[in-house]
Amino acid sequence: MVINTGQRTDIPAFYSKWFMNRIREGYVLVRNPYHPEQITRYELRWTA
């Protein structure tokens, strides 16, 4: 699985507990920095 986080932050170094919880839950919610009311849900499920 490849997860492109763009230039948001160094997730593995600073948010590893949060990141592993998101992997276990199978999704992540991302707020648009230009339109804060817009939130996108990305699935993090493995597919074969």
Side-chain angles (χ1 to χ4, degrees):
M1 175 189 310
V2 175
I3 301 172
N4 180 357
T5 59
Q7 297 178 2
R8 290 183 181 264
T9 186
D10 190 351
I11 289 174
F14 299 110
Y15 301 99
S16 58
K17 288 182 184 179
W18 171 86
F19 185 61
M20 290 310 298
N21 285 334
R22 294 294 88 221
I23 294 290
R24 279 195 274 295
E25 289 294 321
Y27 70 93
V28 64
L29 299 175
V30 178
R31 187 177 302 273
N32 184 327
Y34 300 107
H35 301 282
E37 69 283 352
Q38 180 184 2
I39 299 172
T40 304
R41 177 181 169 129
Y42 292 101
E43 297 295 324
L44 300 176
R45 304 248 182 236
W46 289 95
T47 59

